[in-house]
Amino acid sequence: MAKIELTRSPFIKNTLKSRYPQLAVFIVMLVGYIFAILAGLIGTPVGSHNFSIVFVWIAWWAILILVVVPFFGRGWCAMCPIPLPGEWLQRGAVLAPPDKKPKWLNLRVPKMFRNIWLQNISFLLLALFSSVLLTTPSITGIVLAAMLFAAIGLSMIFERRAFCRYLCPVGGFIGLYSQAAPIELRIKDKQVCVTCEGKPCYNGSSAGYGCPWDVFPGGLTKNTYCGLCMECIRTCPHDNIAVNLRLFSADLAKPSTRMDEAFKAFIMLGSAMIYAGVLLGPWGMLKDAAYNVGSNAWFVYVFIFLAIIFGILPGIFTLGIVGIKSSTPLKHRFASLSSALIPLGLMFWVAFSLSFVLTNASYILAALSDPLGLGWNLFGTANTTWQPMLTPILAPAQTLALVGGLIWSARTAQKAANEVKVSSIPMVVYCFVLTSVMLWLLL
Amino acid sequence: MNPRLSLLLFVMAGLVVAFAPLPDPAIAPQARTFRMDARQFAYSPSDLQVNLGDTVTIQLLSTDVVHGLYVDDYDVSVEADPGQTATLTFTADKPGSFRFHCNVTCGAMHPFMIGKITVGTNNWLFRSIGLAALAIAGVMVSIKPKA
Amino acid sequence: MKRPELLTRILITVVIVGVVGAPLYIWSRTPLIHAQMSENGGWSPDVLRAEVGKPLHLKLTSDDVMHGFAVGQTDMEGIDVEPGKVSNVTLNFDKPGIYTFYCTRWCGLNHWRMRGTIEVSGSPSEPEPATVPLYVSLNLDIDAPHDARVIPSSQPSAMRGQGLAIELPVNLSAEYYHAHSPQQAFNDLSNPSLTDSQRWDVVAYLWQSNTDQESLANGKQLYAQNCAACHGENGAGDGVFDDDLKAAGDASAQTMTGAQDMKMQTPANFTDPTRILGASPALLQGKILRGGMGTGMPMWGSIFTEDQIRDLIAYIYSFQFDYEK
């Protein structure tokens, strides 16, 4: 497998190893995050002119789904501010480990929660309330604050980054999609780890902390749970850890057989399609139902949403693969073959987000100059009028993303099908049908 | 068949599907008028169909608060206060499907107040589906050697 | 603790305190007037204070939809108050008193209820005696039905009326016009040589001579901005809120006095000759000034100037009479 070891470059290795560049990014993100909470709580209630809505759901989301996830996998986790206050308290230091470690509970997360089901649920909670969340600054502010305090609280009780690994709604899907990304963190030589004493990459040392993601770097074969925090590069005494550039979706060659991850793929695929229809479509009734939380229409909307994600999409998929004679049990096949939906889901989100972002990006300039809607004009752009951007290229870009995603998923399906010795045709047709529906919804 | 050759053939087929000019059904352009209600947060009707070259007039009637209507790509817009029907007229000289949005903040779900106008046939949608079909045909053709 | 750790902690603390403290401080020192739909609270604050001769600087923002701001009984053009943005306006007062400010862009069924007051204090002067509206001095019961008993069979033409009026003793004075309904004017024109239709034409001419093109244009604009949403763009009582008003009426059959007959009604149809030809300008002025006492018709007394009401009334009659352009 073609790989380029990026950490061969001393510049890259030292930048990643040093705590200062990372800290600088952390401070900027933390300041932005806290300001977003403040803006949500005291700024104008008009979403399109409030920093919290514009910079979280338009600017940050655009960069996340269009650039960071496809090209850097869990790159956002590497700079996310949410775990920081809790982690600094937990560690008793902001930079290198202190001499005297503070005594927090450091409990291990109970086994029954050591999966991504809680993340599936937290993502769904946000998704079902998304019409209100995406448009109401105070709700965004409260949710951001809640995540911050949850992370702090969990850090006081559990070891490592419990919020990030097991609760964060964003982490759930960027972990899944990071399998498709072209960068990875891996050990260089397995033998070195076999003879290593103490395994400081996992247990920590004076040079750094044990993996906050509860991953043993020596056994890391997929990107899914590695948050690219670089602690292991700092602690490894044998310089055996590297960050590599590699082919896209290399991890999908060894598909996971976990049900939680399988359903995550369907959750993401389904919600992208539902968002495209409800938020970007011309059907006012659907928007009313999605927005009027608590009304009868909303309960019907929730029911249909969940039925699509947990029933219809996986159900049809299973019908496609159930007839195939195979030695692998159905559950196994279901999980590993559904990994083929990962590239498709990612590109569905890219296509959906392109429309939403290009239409509303002009709000970013206005919110930059007047983040709270108080009449400021910090950069002179406060009166930028709303104007959709680059609309002529939108449709071709969406087609490229969706057809590209289809090809990508079809080839992944081929390889996954080969692994379990079945035909990939039902899955490929399934992907084609869903892609056509998404094209119809967006174009 | 040589994989490179088949890839080239598929790419060329893709270019044809994407860009080959389609015959224009010669329909004489006419003037069309639509009475459209705007409310928080939907238009009614919200899905319009006209022919290429038609002169389209939309009479926008806001029924609760001030709304606007902005047509993507055509870059034309109008604003209507309740009680004052506003008129937008433009020539539908670009074929395809275009979304229109409300461009006067009208409440929480304002960014999602969207409608669609299709001028002629939505050829790009059909081309895209065609490309998708071609894509999986290409992938399936490459299955055979591996099995 | 090592030096870098300490410095970093200080830096982080300072930066976070700054990013929270500075905006919070500036926010607390920015006095904004929030415009909200009436259903969401209306103007906040809704009572302002000012002084004669001292400019009053206001910062206005909308918390939901497009609103506007203007002070009643002045010639002030409405200033748009946009959602999420701040509009600045400076007001100057030369007379003390209580002024009403109001929303100038339709923002829902209860748009007209979106009002506040500005209490202007200043050199104490004798409060100007209010002019008694004509309907009061005429002792008109503006709530009593005022259906015309005779109506024209087709729309009367003022031009034809003008030609006919040359031969007749017609009272074109403003006093007569204001105090009489077209029906009454019709009755007063008892001349055996005229047909009913011709008499109506003369009434139309009488009405037209009490206004002019500019007033009609002004009335038309005032109507479009303030009345059309309920009364309909063509005066037929079929404005965009007519169904909401009807629903509100069906839902609540109570008024201040508990009287059934004053419940929310559908807006008046100005194209209905029976209803309008029996109403004098004084009566219409009364309705506009005082409002409908629970019927949903707003009271405009503190908003429109006398001239504006006069122009509006002239425009309303133009639904009944053909004034050649």
Side-chain angles (χ1 to χ4, degrees):
Chain A
M1 194 114 343
K3 261 192 225 204
I4 300 175
E5 192 197 317
L6 294 172
T7 37
R8 271 242 185 106
S9 142
F11 173 71
I12 293 182
K13 176 140 62 157
N14 291 330
T15 309
L16 294 178
K17 251 183 124 162
S18 162
R19 291 189 184 272
Y20 294 106
Q22 191 182 46
L23 183 74
V25 174
F26 278 164
I27 292 180
V28 170
M29 294 297 158
L30 188 58
V31 162
Y33 191 89
I34 291 178
F35 187 68
I37 296 177
L38 188 69
L41 297 177
I42 69 168
T44 174
V46 178
S48 47
H49 289 265
N50 188 305
F51 180 90
S52 69
I53 299 287
V54 175
F55 271 82
V56 173
W57 305 118
I58 303 179
W60 168 80
W61 178 259
I63 298 176
L64 182 77
I65 200 70
L66 299 176
V67 177
V68 178
V69 171
F71 295 102
F72 299 95
R74 274 211 187 235
W76 168 253
C77 296
M79 31 177 179
C80 178
I82 298 178
L84 300 177
E87 193 162 72
W88 291 335
L89 282 172
Q90 190 193 62
R91 291 173 172 179
V94 171
L95 297 170
D99 297 323
K100 203 153 166 269
K101 294 196 196 333
K103 291 236 185 304
W104 296 106
L105 283 174
N106 281 318
L107 296 176
R108 196 138 168 72
V109 171
K111 185 151 202 284
M112 89 176 227
F113 295 119
R114 291 214 293 273
N115 49 53
I116 68 167
W117 281 111
L118 278 180
Q119 292 177 296
N120 288 352
I121 293 171
S122 65
F123 177 83
L124 274 177
L125 277 179
L126 292 190
L128 293 173
F129 291 88
S130 60
S131 295
V132 175
L133 178 65
L134 262 58
T135 58
T136 315
S138 55
I139 302 287
T140 290
I142 291 171
V143 168
L144 292 180
M147 293 206 290
L148 189 65
F149 286 112
I152 295 175
L154 288 177
S155 288
M156 309 291 86
I157 302 172
F158 297 106
E159 59 170 12
R160 310 176 195 260
R161 285 187 182 181
F163 175 83
C164 300
R165 175 81 196 251
Y166 298 111
L167 198 52
C168 179
V170 180
F173 73 83
I174 66 182
L176 192 77
Y177 288 158
S178 66
Q179 296 176 81
I183 69 160
E184 61 177 22
L185 181 144
R186 300 283 189 271
I187 51 168
K188 297 182 204 174
D189 182 354
K190 199 152 181 200
Q191 273 307 111
V192 171
C193 298
V194 167
T195 53
C196 168
E197 285 227 15
K199 309 280 193 282
C201 58
Y202 183 75
N203 294 310
S205 69
S206 58
Y209 308 91
C211 178
W213 292 88
D214 196 27
V215 161
F216 172 51
L220 199 52
T221 53
K222 282 149 77 74
N223 287 346
T224 323
Y225 301 105
C226 165
L228 297 173
C229 69
M230 306 304 162
E231 282 304 319
C232 54
I233 294 192
R234 295 172 187 135
T235 49
C236 178
H238 314 293
D239 188 29
N240 195 29
I241 301 190
V243 175
N244 305 318
L245 196 62
R246 65 179 198 178
L247 292 176
F248 281 90
S249 66
D251 287 346
L252 295 178
K254 330 160 203 99
S256 154
T257 54
R258 291 170 55 150
M259 288 302 268
D260 57 351
E261 291 182 25
F263 273 98
K264 186 68 187 175
F266 286 105
I267 290 175
M268 296 307 291
L269 201 61
S271 45
M273 296 175 74
I274 293 172
Y275 276 19
V278 173
L279 297 180
L280 300 185
W283 305 296
M285 223 175 63
L286 297 179
K287 296 176 216 255
D288 288 343
Y291 183 72
N292 293 316
V293 169
S295 67
N296 287 340
W298 181 77
F299 281 108
V300 173
Y301 165 78
V302 165
F303 178 76
I304 295 178
F305 198 122
L306 296 175
I308 290 177
I309 287 176
F310 288 113
I312 300 176
L313 287 180
I316 298 179
F317 187 82
T318 311
L319 284 178
I321 65 173
V322 80
I324 307 169
K325 290 208 174 20
S326 166
S327 51
T328 352
L330 182 63
K331 214 168 157 191
H332 235 102
R333 263 183 283 146
F334 174 80
S336 64
L337 293 177
S338 62
S339 66
L341 301 176
I342 289 173
L344 196 67
L346 176 59
M347 297 320 260
F348 273 27
W349 276 98
V350 165
F352 161 77
S353 304
L354 273 173
S355 172
F356 178 66
V357 166
L358 286 179
T359 303
N360 295 303
S362 53
Y363 285 134
I364 295 176
L365 289 172
L368 204 58
S369 280
D370 190 9
L372 301 179
L374 290 176
W376 302 350
N377 201 348
L378 302 172
F379 301 99
T381 56
N383 290 313
T384 312
T385 41
W386 172 82
Q387 174 77 29
M389 294 187 175
L390 300 176
T391 40
I393 67 139
L394 178 59
Q398 290 175 313
T399 300
L400 212 62
L402 291 173
V403 174
L406 177 62
I407 296 176
W408 194 357
S409 261
R411 289 190 59 77
T412 309
Q414 266 184 276
K415 294 182 191 146
N418 268 341
E419 293 269 316
V420 287
K421 308 274 185 289
V422 296
S423 161
S424 61
I425 293 183
M427 287 183 296
V428 169
V429 170
Y430 178 86
C431 291
F432 169 71
V433 171
L434 292 188
T435 304
S436 303
V437 172
M438 193 65 169
L439 282 167
W440 172 73
L441 284 173
L442 288 175
L443 291 183
Chain B
M1 194 191 278
N2 182 339
R4 271 187 209 248
L5 182 59
S6 54
L7 178 65
L8 185 64
L9 281 178
F10 272 104
V11 169
M12 285 179 55
L15 289 172
V16 166
V17 171
F19 298 114
L22 289 173
D24 261 329
I27 305 182
Q30 43 172 264
R32 287 179 198 266
T33 305
F34 297 95
R35 274 194 70 83
M36 187 183 286
D37 278 4
R39 63 164 177 89
Q40 289 174 317
F41 299 96
Y43 296 102
S44 171
S46 59
D47 207 339
L48 307 181
Q49 174 75 53
V50 300
N51 294 323
L52 186 61
D54 282 352
T55 306
V56 181
T57 299
I58 298 178
Q59 290 176 340
L60 188 66
L61 179 64
S62 286
T63 60
D64 45 22
V65 300
V66 182
H67 289 287
L69 191 146
Y70 170 93
V71 186
D72 281 356
D73 283 354
Y74 280 95
D75 197 26
V76 292
S77 67
V78 77
E79 194 176 289
D81 286 43
Q84 299 176 64
T85 302
T87 308
L88 175 69
T89 306
F90 63 98
T91 310
D93 52 4
K94 288 185 253 208
S97 172
F98 306 91
R99 281 188 158 60
F100 49 88
H101 306 260
C102 179
N103 64 344
V104 176
T105 309
C106 56
M109 288 283 274
H110 158 75
F112 303 119
M113 189 167 161
I114 297 174
K116 198 162 89 162
I117 177 167
T118 307
V119 180
T121 359
N122 190 357
N123 283 326
W124 186 251
L125 173 61
F126 298 121
R127 290 185 194 271
S128 301
I129 296 182
L131 283 174
L134 195 63
I136 59 163
V139 170
M140 295 214 271
V141 154
S142 67
I143 293 177
K144 303 283 174 48
K146 292 222 176 179
Chain C
M1 192 191 310
K2 305 191 191 86
R3 199 112 183 286
E5 175 71 29
L6 179 64
L7 287 178
T8 312
R9 289 194 195 188
I10 293 175
L11 174 66
I12 293 176
T13 312
V14 165
V15 161
I16 291 183
V17 167
V19 83
V20 172
L24 205 54
Y25 176 75
I26 302 176
W27 167 76
S28 65
R29 315 285 282 187
T30 309
L32 281 181
I33 299 174
H34 294 261
Q36 298 150 311
M37 287 164 68
S38 225
E39 292 85 341
N40 296 333
W43 295 101
S44 174
D46 61 354
V47 178
L48 307 173
R49 273 170 238 287
E51 273 178 47
V52 169
K54 229 174 117 183
L56 178 67
H57 302 291
L58 299 176
K59 285 181 178 296
L60 304 143
T61 185
S62 165
D63 284 355
D64 45 27
V65 302
M66 177 70 89
H67 292 286
F69 173 91
V71 179
Q73 300 267 323
T74 67
D75 286 325
M76 185 178 168
E77 286 287 322
I79 298 192
D80 283 345
V81 179
E82 296 176 62
K85 299 172 79 164
V86 174
S87 305
N88 292 291
V89 64
T90 303
L91 299 174
N92 287 292
F93 299 93
D94 26 68
K95 280 186 282 203
I98 298 184
Y99 294 74
T100 304
F101 65 88
Y102 62 104
C103 178
T104 56
R105 300 203 65 179
W106 273 90
C107 50
L109 176 62
N110 293 303
H111 152 75
W112 69 269
R113 295 181 201 274
M114 216 181 130
R115 296 180 185 178
T117 51
I118 308 178
E119 294 171 7
V120 181
S121 56
S123 43
S125 54
E126 285 294 310
E128 284 178 20
T131 38
V132 175
L134 190 57
Y135 79 97
V136 172
S137 42
L138 288 179
N139 227 354
L140 276 181
D141 178 2
I142 63 177
D143 299 318
H146 48 85
D147 288 353
R149 247 165 275 141
V150 187
I151 58 171
S153 48
S154 63
Q155 200 180 42
S157 154
M159 282 239 319
R160 280 200 301 263
Q162 183 174 32
L164 293 162
I166 301 172
E167 316 277 320
L168 297 170
V170 183
N171 186 350
L172 297 175
S173 72
E175 286 82 23
Y176 182 83
Y177 161 74
H178 279 113
H180 292 84
S181 67
Q183 165 81 90
Q184 288 168 321
F186 174 84
N187 291 341
D188 287 352
L189 286 173
S190 52
N191 186 317
S193 65
L194 290 175
T195 62
D196 278 1
S197 162
Q198 288 174 319
R199 279 160 76 185
W200 279 118
D201 287 341
V202 175
V203 173
Y205 166 64
L206 198 164
W207 250 242
Q208 187 202 43
S209 58
N210 273 287
T211 185
D212 56 48
Q213 290 294 19
E214 203 187 309
S215 303
L216 283 171
N218 192 30
K220 182 171 181 179
Q221 194 191 33
L222 286 165
Y223 181 86
Q225 287 169 344
N226 298 287
C227 320
C230 294
H231 286 283
E233 292 179 56
N234 298 310
D238 57 354
V240 292
F241 292 115
D242 65 350
D243 44 359
D244 295 306
L245 285 167
K246 178 161 195 314
D250 291 341
S252 77
Q254 239 193 14
T255 65
M256 272 167 43
T257 58
Q260 280 284 77
D261 52 2
M262 292 298 278
K263 68 177 161 80
M264 290 279 226
Q265 301 164 2
T266 49
N269 177 356
F270 300 132
T271 61
D272 176 7
T274 310
R275 188 146 175 193
I276 301 305
L277 295 178
S280 63
L283 188 143
L284 291 181
Q285 184 197 33
K287 293 265 197 200
I288 295 174
L289 283 172
R290 188 210 67 177
M293 307 282 278
T295 62
M297 168 67 188
M299 71 283 215
W300 297 101
S302 53
I303 306 297
F304 291 145
T305 61
E306 232 180 279
D307 289 346
Q308 286 174 323
I309 295 185
R310 191 201 59 212
D311 291 349
L312 251 179
I313 291 173
Y315 179 71
I316 289 173
Y317 283 117
S318 74
F319 289 118
Q320 292 299 325
F321 301 132
D322 187 359
Y323 303 149
E324 287 310 38
K325 291 188 191 62

